Amino acid sequence: MRTRPTLSWTSADAPLPRTSSLDELTDVVARGRVAVLSGAGLSTESGIPDYRGETGSLRRHTPMTYDEFVTSAEGRQRYWARSHLGWRTIARADPNDGHRAVTALCEGGFVGGVITQNVDGLHQAAGTADAIELHGSLDRVICLDCRRTSPRADLDRRLRAANPAFDGAATRINPDGDVELPEDVVRRFTTVACADCASGVLKPDVVFFGENVPRPRVEECYRLVDDAGALLVLGSSLTVMSGLRFVRHAAKAGKPVVIVNHGETRGDRYASVRVDRPLGGALTELAARLGCEDRGRTA
């Protein structure tokens, strides 16, 4: 299924009731067998902005699309120049209380699996090693010709060697690892080809807007939702179908859907509970209510 490059949505309905209470959320999670679907809002407390919140980067920034990346050498140069700086910021980011609370809930037996739309690797860094990365991860690179993958750190070393005088300075980081750079700085940046096949185009191993999410990964996510008793959405506006479809799937099967997010989401109509609170504090309180607040802290 191809992820349409939907950048925004407008609800035609009146906003549905939201709450700051965690009572109903706690009741649902206490039953166990919960699947988690997380979005960019979970990582904002780690210093990585979201796309669509009050300060979301889509208000100022249009992310790279798959078509532009594969068809435009200039587009790839612009992406790699900006991402070369942005990735370093994401690579240095630490998990926040929200990520640690999700790990604690997994270790406590309440959460059976995690699907994340994020590409920052922070769930894994917090100890949720088996989180399904729906949109891939920025710490890997794939060759579009030979299809080999390699660590992003290896590419970072090669780009540093190819651009010894690169003097770009990141002014704002975006959730996809992109930053803002002047065009004259971008034009001075040198990209590199695949080190394995010597000529292939390198791309971060993430799903760009307009690109297909690999079918086996989608099916793995559906199985996780099917095996769950409820779906908990954390910090996602659910604007793109790649995440919204799992909410619809859970609701169609009669499973409770709980959304914790700032503001409305495209999936609100499918949710039985909608909590509007900062993620870190809400999830830490949830873990404490369920007696697993001490888990995940050493992850």
Side-chain angles (χ1 to χ4, degrees):
M1 179 176 180
R2 186 171 290 273
T3 304
R4 296 181 60 196
T6 303
L7 302 184
S8 63
W9 67 280
T10 301
S11 174
D13 304 317
L16 293 168
R18 309 184 71 81
T19 182
S20 60
S21 170
L22 300 186
D23 292 346
E24 292 178 275
L25 167 62
T26 303
D27 290 343
V28 171
V29 178
R31 301 181 200 128
R33 295 178 51 239
V34 174
V36 164
L37 172 65
S38 70
L42 186 62
S43 292
T44 56
E45 293 175 40
S46 293
I48 302 173
D50 64 9
Y51 278 119
R52 301 175 178 83
E54 293 180 1
T55 59
S57 66
L58 284 184
R59 296 173 182 268
R60 304 169 304 273
H61 162 72
T62 300
M64 174 61 68
T65 65
Y66 181 74
D67 287 342
E68 181 181 6
F69 190 88
V70 299
T71 60
S72 169
E74 290 182 354
R76 290 193 294 273
Q77 181 189 41
R78 184 174 69 255
Y79 175 84
W80 281 121
R82 292 155 58 140
S83 183
H84 181 54
L85 295 177
W87 177 77
R88 300 176 197 171
T89 300
I90 288 182
R92 289 194 299 265
D94 292 321
N96 62 54
D97 288 343
H99 298 107
R100 287 187 286 271
V102 171
T103 297
L105 293 168
C106 290
E107 294 177 350
F110 296 101
V111 169
V114 175
I115 304 164
T116 184
Q117 298 174 97
N118 299 337
V119 295
D120 52 37
L122 292 179
H123 274 298
Q124 290 81 352
T128 309
D130 58 353
I132 302 171
E133 296 172 317
L134 183 63
H135 296 153
S137 177
L138 283 171
D139 68 359
R140 297 187 303 271
V141 178
I142 186 169
C143 174
L144 296 182
D145 290 5
C146 71
R147 307 307 298 179
R148 290 191 176 99
T149 58
S150 57
R152 180 66 176 266
D154 291 352
L155 176 62
D156 185 63
R157 286 190 289 270
R158 296 179 61 213
L159 288 175
R160 287 174 186 263
N163 297 273
F166 186 60
D167 56 358
T171 57
R172 183 176 62 241
I173 184 71
N174 297 307
D176 55 359
D178 200 358
V179 300
E180 297 299 312
L181 280 180
E183 281 301 313
D184 62 313
V185 175
V186 168
R187 287 193 294 270
R188 296 198 300 269
F189 190 80
T190 299
T191 59
V192 297
C194 174
D196 289 303
C197 67
S199 61
V201 170
L202 293 174
K203 174 184 171 292
D205 194 12
V206 300
V207 177
F208 282 150
F209 283 87
E211 185 178 2
N212 290 325
V213 177
R215 190 65 206 177
R217 194 180 301 163
V218 173
E219 292 171 352
E220 184 182 8
C221 293
Y222 275 127
R223 286 193 297 269
L224 180 61
V225 175
D226 285 338
D227 291 341
L231 180 62
L232 173 58
V233 180
L234 303 175
S236 175
S237 67
L238 299 170
T239 297
V240 295
M241 187 56 65
S242 62
L244 180 63
R245 56 184 156 182
F246 302 119
V247 172
R248 289 179 171 177
H249 186 74
K252 184 177 180 180
K255 301 174 189 287
V257 174
V258 179
I259 298 176
V260 185
N261 188 64
H262 266 317
E264 289 183 85
T265 83
R266 195 178 175 191
D268 279 358
R269 70 178 68 179
Y270 305 103
S272 54
V273 183
R274 291 163 293 274
V275 178
D276 195 330
R277 281 187 49 179
L279 273 293
L283 293 175
T284 299
E285 181 181 334
L286 174 64
R289 287 185 178 207
L290 296 173
C292 51
E293 69 270 25
D294 291 328
R295 298 175 182 267
R297 291 186 177 177
T298 59

